[in-house]
Structure formats: structure tokens, C-alpha cells
Amino acid sequence: MKENRTARLTLLIDPEKKKIFEEICAGKDLTPSQVVRRLIRQYVQENAGNRTLPEWLKDD
């Protein structure tokens, strides 16, 4: 089964940090959403403990 990309996550960030983050993402030809999804996936993989993860989340 593939990742379901229908959920929305809203967060607050300092405008200056957001601007720098967006510039760095653009420089790597990535969208901010792609980078945040990658960071969340990595965090979950590293901190899941004994939780059973879906196969698509185990791969990276």
C-alpha cells in the first residue's frame, strides 16, 4: 500500500526561518512539503519503538 497524502499538518514558524528554509529547498529543487515529509518519515522510523510500521514507511 502506498502512502496516503490526504492529511494536512499546519505549523507555525518564524517568517525568517521559513524564508531561509524555502530558499534552501528551492536550491535543491525540492518543495518544502517534500522535505518535511522526508523529515517526518525519518523521525518516525527512528522513534517508532515497537510499533508496527507499514511497509512503505520502512523503505527509504
Side-chain angles (χ1 to χ4, degrees), residues 5-17:
R5 298 179 188 220
T6 60
R8 180 179 305 266
L9 175 67
T10 303
L11 61 107
L12 300 175
I13 186 172
D14 175 271
E16 187 175 347
K17 287 179 192 157

Side-chain angles (χ1 to χ4, degrees), residues 1 3 40-42 44-45 53-60:
M1 182 178 210
E3 183 176 3
I40 291 172
R41 186 168 33 259
Q42 179 181 353
V44 168
Q45 289 169 338
L53 299 178
E55 285 302 315
W56 59 262
L57 190 54
K58 295 176 185 177
D59 302 334
D60 206 32

Side-chain angles (χ1 to χ4, degrees), residues 13 17-39:
I13 186 172
K17 287 179 192 157
K18 180 180 181 282
K19 182 179 183 293
I20 294 168
F21 177 64
E22 290 173 334
E23 289 171 357
I24 294 169
C25 291
K28 295 182 176 287
D29 198 27
L30 296 167
T31 66
S33 291
Q34 288 173 309
V35 174
V36 170
R37 282 193 299 268
R38 183 180 297 166
L39 291 169

Side-chain angles (χ1 to χ4, degrees), residues 41-53:
R41 186 168 33 259
Q42 179 181 353
Y43 185 85
V44 168
Q45 289 169 338
E46 292 173 358
N47 296 281
N50 60 0
R51 290 175 182 82
T52 301
L53 299 178

